[in-house]
Amino acid sequence: MAITRMQAAGALTDKDQRKAKHAADSTEKQYRFGFLIVPNFTLIGFASAMEPLRMANMVAKTRRYQWLTVTVDGQPVAASNGVQVMPDCSIENAPGLDALFVCGPNPIALTGDQPLIVWLRKLSHEKVPLGGICTGSHLLARAGLLSGYRCTIHWEDTDSLIDGFGGIVVSGRVFELDRDRYTCSGGIAPIDMMVTLISTQPGGRELAATVAELLVCERIRSPSDMQRIPLRQKLGTSQPKLSEAVALMESNLEEPLSVDELANYVGLSGRQLERLFNEHLNCTPGNYYLELRLLRARQLLLRTEQAIIDVADACGFASVAHFTRRYSEFFGIPPGKERRLGAL
């Protein structure tokens, strides 16, 4: 749907006005959502969560949704791209909320969050629904507020969430709505989550549909949608053997399989497998496998506190020296230096 300047400014079509009247007549309830922003929060996730609420108010011609920003001390904080945001209040003087969404940082901060944890636990005790945007799920987990829940987080941080906390079911989906916990993977995924939340509230289905149109979202993803597009979807159904071989690689990073073993598992000769990789991925199976292992190692270096020797072992390298050489060749920087720079 094309949006004219007049529509963007609030002059809605007759169809939109009818939808708005229906939505406004369906419920008198107003909702107040809080957004907890922390240093290095991801601005795109924050904006993607807030804008559907603004659009909903515009369509409904009422203050159905209110929102406010919260920081630990009421002082401005900078997003990961350097943009500073002035909050509406601190955690000490925040008003009552119908839900709070934690806008997580990039990279994840592992210290200095005790006051936030105490406050989040207080809200949970008061039965306030809690959400995590991008890495916000990590802070909820550290507060012990995701135990027994299904949740999601940005795919780069999935392993750190799984390894760091027990009793949590972590999915690779775009977003998860499990009772009073709402989590999403970041990027533009908050749009999908917030529009879905709008649709589940009284009189919200038509309102949510119009919001999606105004946001130029031809399809709102559901909780069943996955974050990363599997290789088999990129290639279609024409190369099942190649997709199967890559899936085997991804499942065996710690103890890499040889090309002959891979070929045998998928029912090809080594030469046939080599030909498939060269034709469709423009590389050899060995080079593709090495890239997968190095990318995984980079995630562990920047997203966990594992020792470099343990990272090397987890990604199938026989020694730290071999790992360091390969890592430096691929990324142009030694792993130790990359970790130090990433911590700045």
Side-chain angles (χ1 to χ4, degrees):
M1 170 183 176
I3 308 173
T4 67
R5 184 171 298 178
M6 289 183 63
Q7 287 175 308
L12 304 174
T13 64
D14 290 341
K15 179 183 176 183
D16 289 338
Q17 289 174 354
R18 287 195 300 272
K19 290 181 179 180
K21 185 177 185 304
H22 175 79
D25 291 344
S26 299
T27 179
E28 295 293 327
K29 173 137 179 92
Q30 292 184 326
Y31 302 89
R32 179 190 286 147
F33 290 169
F35 292 90
L36 175 63
I37 54 177
V38 298
N40 292 315
F41 73 98
T42 53
L43 190 59
I44 187 172
F46 170 63
S48 295
M50 186 179 293
E51 280 299 288
L53 305 179
R54 183 183 70 84
M55 290 288 189
N57 286 349
M58 187 180 78
V59 173
K61 290 187 175 295
T62 181
R63 290 279 292 172
R64 182 170 186 171
Y65 296 99
Q66 300 176 34
W67 54 87
L68 54 90
T69 51
V70 188
T71 61
V72 64
D73 55 4
Q75 295 300 306
V77 298
S80 57
N81 64 359
V83 173
Q84 292 228 349
V85 174
M86 175 68 73
D88 296 300
C89 59
S90 70
I91 61 176
E92 293 296 325
N93 57 25
L97 299 170
D98 291 295
L100 176 83
F101 296 88
V102 181
C103 301
N106 184 18
I108 293 173
L110 300 176
T111 59
D113 53 21
Q114 192 57 36
L116 297 180
I117 286 176
V118 171
W119 186 57
L120 290 172
R121 288 173 177 167
K122 174 177 176 291
L123 292 182
S124 177
H125 181 73
E126 295 170 355
K127 306 301 181 184
V128 175
L130 300 172
I133 294 172
C134 193
T135 61
S137 302
H138 205 278
L139 186 54
L140 292 176
R142 291 210 299 280
L145 301 176
L146 289 181
S147 296
Y149 284 91
R150 187 177 184 90
C151 68
T152 190
I153 195 170
H154 192 281
W155 61 266
E156 286 190 316
D157 300 293
T158 298
D159 289 319
S160 66
L161 193 62
I162 293 173
D163 295 342
F165 308 97
I168 301 175
V169 180
V170 184
S171 82
R173 294 174 178 172
V174 172
F175 66 94
E176 292 280 358
L177 305 179
D178 186 358
R179 293 161 287 168
D180 55 353
R181 295 294 183 269
Y182 317 136
T183 57
C184 68
S185 54
I188 60 172
I191 291 178
D192 304 280
M193 181 176 73
M194 298 305 282
V195 172
T196 299
L197 283 174
I198 290 170
S199 73
T200 62
Q201 292 163 350
R205 289 189 63 184
E206 289 187 352
L207 180 60
T210 306
V211 167
E213 289 176 354
L214 290 172
L215 289 169
V216 200
C217 292
E218 64 179 23
R219 184 179 81 89
I220 294 298
R221 292 172 292 180
S222 75
S224 62
D225 281 292
M226 303 301 290
Q227 292 182 49
R228 302 185 74 182
I229 300 175
L231 183 65
R232 63 181 177 274
Q233 288 183 246
K234 296 179 182 178
L235 296 174
T237 58
S238 62
Q239 299 302 327
K241 297 292 187 181
L242 180 58
S243 297
E244 187 180 352
V246 170
L248 282 168
M249 290 177 176
E250 292 173 337
S251 300
N252 293 274
L253 298 179
E254 186 171 357
E255 296 183 7
L257 302 170
S258 69
V259 173
D260 287 338
E261 286 174 321
L262 286 167
N264 183 59
Y265 280 128
V266 301
L268 296 174
S269 68
R271 181 172 295 180
Q272 288 172 318
L273 188 62
E274 293 267 0
R275 189 181 302 117
L276 278 178
F277 271 85
N278 282 320
E279 182 177 346
H280 297 284
L281 298 176
N282 199 32
C283 65
T284 66
N287 285 340
Y288 190 90
Y289 210 166
L290 177 62
E291 181 175 343
L292 286 178
R293 292 158 56 207
L294 289 170
L295 289 172
R296 171 69 176 133
R298 192 168 191 265
Q299 290 177 25
L300 292 176
L301 280 171
L302 298 179
R303 304 279 177 171
T304 75
E305 296 182 319
Q306 288 188 38
I308 290 178
I309 187 173
D310 295 327
V311 171
D313 185 61
C315 297
F317 293 94
S319 68
V320 172
H322 181 219
F323 168 59
T324 299
R325 184 172 68 257
R326 290 293 197 178
Y327 194 97
S328 301
E329 290 170 353
F330 189 81
F331 292 111
I333 185 173
K337 185 175 182 180
E338 174 115 277
R339 169 170 276 178
R340 288 192 298 272
L341 291 175
L344 295 179

